[in-house]
Amino acid sequence: MLMINKAIAEATEESHKISTLRANGLLDADACAVRMNAISAKLTQLRGERRWLSENEALDETMDAIRKMTAVINNGPEQMNTFDEDLFDSLVEKVIAESQTRIRFRLCGGLELAEQLEVAAR
């Protein structure tokens, strides 16, 4: 990604230089348009590649977190009769109360599970 960011910076700088040459009358309008169109196309391509890499990087991080959770579960007890706070803390990143009857668990890695609570009649 560093190389793509560098290429984007270089193309942006080249665009600025061409604009300066055109503004100073050192480059005619047609030549300027051709070069600016080429730079614009290159920037569009590079930004698309950067976006794709960024999305895949986020996906890789999520997959790593899911693999870690799987390992924790697989290495945990086969059956639980009581609440295990350490296991819970290693799997759950955050508990979100959406309402008085609905909570959401955000697991490590971003996966979220919602749970509807049953409310006893008063």
Side-chain angles (χ1 to χ4, degrees), residues 18-81:
I18 291 170
S19 295
T20 301
L21 290 172
R22 176 68 184 126
N24 291 331
L26 300 172
L27 190 63
D28 70 52
D30 290 338
C32 179
V34 168
R35 290 183 74 180
M36 292 299 273
N37 286 340
I39 292 170
S40 179
K42 184 176 182 178
L43 282 170
T44 299
Q45 176 198 356
L46 289 168
R47 288 180 178 137
E49 288 176 20
R50 180 173 62 184
R51 187 173 31 261
W52 183 84
L53 285 172
S54 179
E55 289 168 358
N56 281 333
E57 187 175 299
L59 181 60
D60 287 345
E61 290 173 5
T62 301
M63 290 301 297
D64 286 343
I66 291 171
R67 283 186 197 98
K68 288 176 186 173
M69 282 190 341
T70 303
V72 167
I73 292 169
N74 287 337
N75 293 328
E78 194 160 313
Q79 181 176 351
M80 290 177 42
N81 297 322

Side-chain angles (χ1 to χ4, degrees), residues 80-97:
M80 290 177 42
N81 297 322
T82 60
F83 178 74
D84 185 335
E85 185 175 350
D86 291 333
L87 180 60
F88 182 86
D89 287 342
S90 65
L91 295 174
V92 178
E93 183 179 297
K94 188 180 210 180
V95 178
I96 303 155

